[in-house]
Structure formats: structure tokens, C-alpha cells
Amino acid sequence: MPATTSLNDFLAALDGLAERGAAAFAEVRDAETLEAARVEFLGAKSGALRDVQKHLGGIDKADKPAAGKRLNEVKQLLQAGFDAAAAALKSGEAVATGPVPDPTLPGTPLELGHIHPITQTIEHLKEIMGRMGFEAAEGPEVEDPWHNFVALNIPEDHPARDPLDNFYLATAAAQSAGEEGGLLLRSQTSTVQIRVMEARQPPVRVISLGRVYRPDAPDATHYPMFHQMEGLLVDRGITMANLKTVLRVFANNYLGEDVRIRFRPSFFPFTEPSVEVDFWWNDAWIEFGGAGMVDPAVLESVGYDPEQVTGFAFGLGVERLCMRRHGITDIRDLYSGDMRFLAQF
Ligand code: FA5
């Protein structure tokens, strides 16, 4: 403004100041912005109000009362803006300038999960086997060498016990003695056969479904952690014919009447004779598990009399059963955590 100032210019300058000041105090969010706004508008030395006030002297005498009155009003307005912002800061509530939350809007919907396909499979398998009189049994995932190997007729020097083929755990005591712990993550659910027979007298008719662990490199049909369904039936007069019938009835129930199943001679230390169980899938035979007649040495290891009772056992890969039923081509999809895959089941 020039040395002589018109009333109109003076009032216009005050109006602009009042507007900018109100906006600045409304924007205050913390002590720093409050102080900055105070200095900018109300500062005693170079504040904006002070700058305008300097021009009061250049105003016509007749206009001075009107100019002074408006100057005071704007001063009070700015002071009120400052006081309100300071009070709001003190009471912890920031001056609201953003959008006001609308409590009537619908909330963010929670995503509903569902049971993992492998857990669904486990429930389904239990139900089918339950109808054939097999009761579910459980055993620990951390096992001792007796249940994972020795009682299953797998001697100390057997390659199945190789540290490269198992996840051994070092116990604190063994570790401090510089030895291997001996405990391991079970490599098969056959351990539960032993635990059940140790605890009960024949007849026994159980299945056990659970996790097993092997240091296998993941590929389309292998994973280092997978599930097995173990079956065990011990009674008087049990034969291989009973085993084949149970597995065939199971396969027909789970995979359909037209499923093709094959028993191939094989070897397991804890069954004699032993077979590999294959299903026909995508123009090829795929191995689903092993089975056989419980070896008399195993029956003896749990105190059963092999002259009195015989039994069969089987162990099937749960992932492979689930994959065959649902047409899943890669086991890794089951554990990818990818909801686009999992949500289909
Ligand atoms: C066994 O584990 C025996 N305990 C089965 C058995 C039980 C035989 C009772 C006799 C009497 P095997 O190592 O073949 O056998 O494994 C059984 C099944 O587990 C395989 O046929 C396969 O379906 C599944 N399986 C094995 N390794 C993996 C893996 N890394 N990932 C997914 N499935 C696997």
C-alpha cells in the first residue's frame, strides 16, 4: 500500500488477512504449526496484522475511526482463531478439516476362510474308513527311534535311518554331550501301529492320519512335509485277501467305482509279504502307498503272539489321494498359500 492509503484498500487488505488467518488456524495439527501461524499473523514485529496496521497512519482522518474499528475486529478474529486451535490441541482433538467419518457406511467385510483341502480329505478318509469299522488313532510327530525304526524291524544299519533321509532333532542333553539326539520328526505313520499295539490287545482295527517329514526335494508329487493314512488290522485269521478287499472298497468309495487299482510285490521291513499299491491315473500307474501282512517280528516286538494273530497294514499318501480325486497336478499348489487355488475347494 502507498504512503497515503484509501479506506477501501485498507479494508480489503484486512479482509484478505482475516480469511488467510482463519484458514491457517483451522489447519493447525500440532504445536509447531500453531506457533508458525501465530508468528505469521499475530507476530508483534513482522506479523501480517502488524504490517497492515502500519498503514493506518496514511488513512484520511475522517476514515480513521472506521479503519481502526475494522482493524480491531480482525485482530480479535485472528486471536479467536489462535485460541480455538490452541484449545483443540490441548484437549487432544485436532481441528477437523478432512472428511467426517460416516458411521452409517457398511464396514470392510471379513473374508470368510474355509477348511484346507487336505483337512477336508482327512475328514473324508476317516469317514469312509470309519464305516468299515476303523477307529482313528494318533501318535506324536516327534518320535523316538524305537517307534520309528526298531519296533518296525528296521535295524541300526538300515539305509532308512540315514541322517540324510530323516529330520533328526538334537536334544539339549545329547547336544551338550556332542551326540546326535536320536529323536526325529516321524518319517512315516507306521509309528502309530506300534503305539496302538503297545497299548492294546488284539483285535485292533485302526487308522491314523497325520503329518510325516522327509528331506525330499519338492516336485509335482513330493513335498518334505506330507500326510499319510496308516491302516492296521490285527485279529485271528487275517489274510492278504482282507487287505486287498479293504483297499479296494476304500478306493471305490473315495475315487469311484471305475478306479483301477494294482498291487505290486515290494519290500518293507515291517510287512511280509509286502506290496506297493498303485492307482491308474492319466494313462499311468501312480504309487499311492505301501502295504502288507504285519511281519511276525513286529507282532513279537509289541508282545503279540504271531501264532495266535495275524494282521495287515497299509500306508497311503494323503496328498496323492486328494490330488487324484480333485485332478490336482502339482502337490506344491496345496501348500503355496495361494487363495486363488485354495478357494476352489
Ligand atoms: C511308507 O511310508 C510305509 N510306511 C507304508 C507302509 C505302511 C507299508 C504299512 C507297509 C505297511 P513309502 O515310503 O512308500 O511307504 O510312502 C508311502 C506313500 O507316501 C507313497 O506311496 C506316497 O504316496 C507318499 N509319499 C512318500 N513320500 C512323499 C513325499 N515326499 N511327498 C508326498 N507324498 C509322499
Side-chain angles (χ1 to χ4, degrees):
M1 278 181 286
T4 52
T5 312
S6 79
L7 178 64
N8 278 350
D9 287 351
F10 188 78
L11 294 181
L14 281 175
D15 285 349
L17 177 61
E19 200 173 306
R20 281 184 287 120
F25 286 119
E27 293 272 299
V28 163
R29 284 284 172 277
D30 51 35
E32 274 166 33
T33 44
L34 176 67
E35 177 58 9
R38 189 193 66 76
V39 171
E40 184 180 347
F41 294 97
L42 294 166
K45 279 193 192 138
S46 57
L49 183 70
R50 175 95 188 121
D51 283 349
V52 179
Q53 195 178 350
K54 283 180 192 157
H55 298 281
L56 189 59
I59 283 189
D60 236 37
K61 207 173 172 194
D63 291 335
K64 261 198 185 136
K69 182 168 173 267
R70 183 64 187 146
L71 180 74
N72 271 334
E73 281 171 7
V74 170
K75 189 175 179 181
Q76 279 165 16
L77 215 86
L78 291 174
Q79 187 62 47
F82 170 84
D83 292 344
L89 265 192
K90 205 170 166 200
S91 71
E93 94 191 39
V95 184
T97 54
V100 180
D102 180 352
T104 63
L105 286 176
T108 314
L110 290 178
E111 268 190 49
L112 266 192
H114 65 81
I115 296 173
H116 190 276
I118 287 299
T119 311
Q120 290 182 35
T121 303
I122 287 173
E123 291 309 314
H124 193 176
L125 300 180
K126 276 186 190 167
E127 184 214 310
I128 294 172
M129 296 306 293
R131 278 189 258 134
M132 284 194 270
F134 285 81
E135 176 196 338
E138 287 196 3
E141 288 178 29
V142 174
E143 265 296 5
D144 53 51
W146 167 260
H147 291 97
N148 203 84
F149 301 122
V150 182
L152 287 164
N153 211 21
I154 304 174
E156 188 86 51
D157 53 358
H158 195 280
R161 297 178 68 158
D162 194 303
L164 293 177
D165 292 331
N166 295 281
F167 288 113
Y168 283 98
L169 308 177
T171 62
Q175 238 173 357
S176 63
E179 299 163 358
E180 263 189 42
L183 292 181
L184 73 160
L185 296 178
R186 67 180 177 190
S187 59
Q188 50 183 348
T189 45
S190 300
T191 54
V192 186
Q193 290 183 35
I194 304 302
R195 290 192 172 270
V196 168
M197 288 192 285
E198 281 173 338
R200 304 184 196 177
Q201 287 304 307
V204 295
R205 189 189 291 219
V206 293
I207 49 160
S208 184
L209 283 135
R211 292 188 194 94
V212 299
Y213 304 84
R214 293 179 193 176
D216 289 346
D219 62 22
T221 52
H222 292 84
Y223 210 70
M225 184 284 304
F226 59 101
H227 296 72
Q228 288 187 333
M229 174 169 75
E230 192 80 12
L232 172 71
L233 196 156
V234 183
D235 203 345
R236 287 177 188 277
I238 298 299
T239 70
M240 201 74 181
N242 300 117
L243 167 66
K244 291 184 75 172
T245 303
V246 165
L247 284 177
R248 196 173 291 282
V249 170
F250 161 73
N252 288 149
N253 268 274
Y254 186 65
L255 298 173
E257 286 301 325
D258 54 349
V259 66
R260 288 172 68 192
I261 175 172
R262 173 176 86 171
F263 296 91
R264 204 162 24 97
S266 185
F267 175 79
F268 295 99
F270 37 93
T271 46
E272 183 58 37
S274 304
V275 290
E276 215 83 61
V277 188
D278 300 338
F279 293 96
W280 184 252
W281 187 15
N282 285 345
D283 299 332
W285 289 106
I286 303 276
E287 178 201 310
F288 278 81
M293 298 305 292
V294 181
D295 194 293
V298 172
L299 295 175
E300 272 168 8
S301 78
V302 296
Y304 284 10
D305 181 355
E307 296 297 325
Q308 298 292 320
V309 288
T310 51
F312 69 71
F314 59 84
L316 307 181
V318 173
E319 278 78 0
R320 291 194 194 171
L321 287 167
C322 169
M323 289 165 71
R324 168 71 168 79
R325 187 180 156 93
H326 296 291
I328 299 168
T329 50
D330 195 321
I331 191 173
R332 291 166 293 194
D333 286 336
L334 288 165
Y335 300 114
S336 64
D338 187 339
M339 291 308 290
R340 290 169 303 177
F341 172 79
L342 294 173
Q344 300 174 74
F345 297 92

